[in-house]
Amino acid sequence: MKCRNCGSQIDPVASECHYCGSSIRGVDLNSIPTEDVIRYANKWIGIMENLPFNGVTSRTKDNPQHIFDSNSLITRDEINSNVKEYLSLLDMRAGKDALASRKFSQLKQEYKDAVGNFEKRKKRAIRNLAIGLSLPIIFLIVMVILENMGIV
């Protein structure tokens, strides 16, 4: 789907273009083919899998019109919202569509794993930061103690 104002690729569940900010007319989500719903869900789960520990990544512009066009940001909240929207569409279709049923379970587990991995990366980054900040302080304390003892 493309924005009518700037021509950028946009998500069917979006209410406004993330590049130019123009409002998007509501899309009948039931008219989106199941294959496209699966593709969009996969896209957002992939973004979650690669999301940095700060929970924000940049959105690349498909057709920059100017060299100084800026990239907009994708937040964890937006990713969660979009994944849940597409998973709910698959869940609603699961009773009538075998592909939707099979993919719903698979994508739900992939999303759960991606969120778990994000939380692990975040905890690891915080731990590494704490260690990195505490080591110089410990070294300084040891140096002061050794200096007071007359060893250094």
Side-chain angles (χ1 to χ4, degrees):
M1 190 171 159
K2 290 190 177 208
C3 174
R4 293 179 185 182
N5 187 42
C6 71
S8 295
Q9 283 294 117
I10 52 174
D11 226 85
V13 297
S15 60
E16 66 180 31
C17 178
H18 293 287
Y19 301 105
C20 69
S22 66
S23 140
I24 299 168
R25 293 185 190 146
V27 174
D28 178 17
L29 297 179
N30 293 322
S31 69
I32 302 171
T34 300
E35 293 79 10
D36 287 348
V37 173
I38 292 167
R39 184 171 51 85
Y40 282 114
N42 269 323
K43 173 188 135 182
W44 287 105
I45 291 170
I47 293 171
M48 175 58 94
E49 288 173 346
N50 297 309
L51 190 66
F53 73 91
N54 66 355
V56 178
T57 189
S58 63
R59 180 186 329 267
T60 56
K61 189 156 184 173
D62 294 331
N63 61 344
Q65 307 209 347
H66 190 275
I67 192 168
F68 298 111
D69 281 352
S70 62
N71 293 337
S72 59
L73 297 177
I74 303 173
T75 64
R76 182 178 177 192
D77 291 339
E78 180 183 354
I79 296 168
N80 288 335
S81 173
N82 289 339
V83 170
K84 288 176 183 176
E85 185 78 32
Y86 288 117
L87 286 179
S88 70
L89 284 172
L90 286 175
D91 190 24
M92 288 188 305
R93 297 176 184 189
K96 302 176 213 163
D97 187 342
L99 175 63
S101 176
R102 188 176 65 246
K103 283 299 198 174
F104 171 72
S105 300
Q106 177 188 350
L107 290 172
K108 187 175 178 182
Q109 185 59 46
E110 286 178 18
Y111 177 60
K112 183 179 174 185
D113 293 344
V115 170
N117 290 336
F118 170 78
E119 292 298 329
K120 287 177 188 175
R121 285 193 312 271
K122 186 176 176 180
K123 286 179 184 176
R124 190 176 318 122
I126 291 170
R127 183 191 69 221
N128 291 344
L129 180 64
I131 291 170
L133 292 174
S134 62
L135 284 178
I137 294 170
I138 292 170
F139 180 71
L140 183 61
I141 292 170
V142 168
M143 291 301 292
V144 168
I145 293 171
L146 291 176
E147 186 177 313
N148 286 339
M149 293 173 61
I151 298 177
V152 177

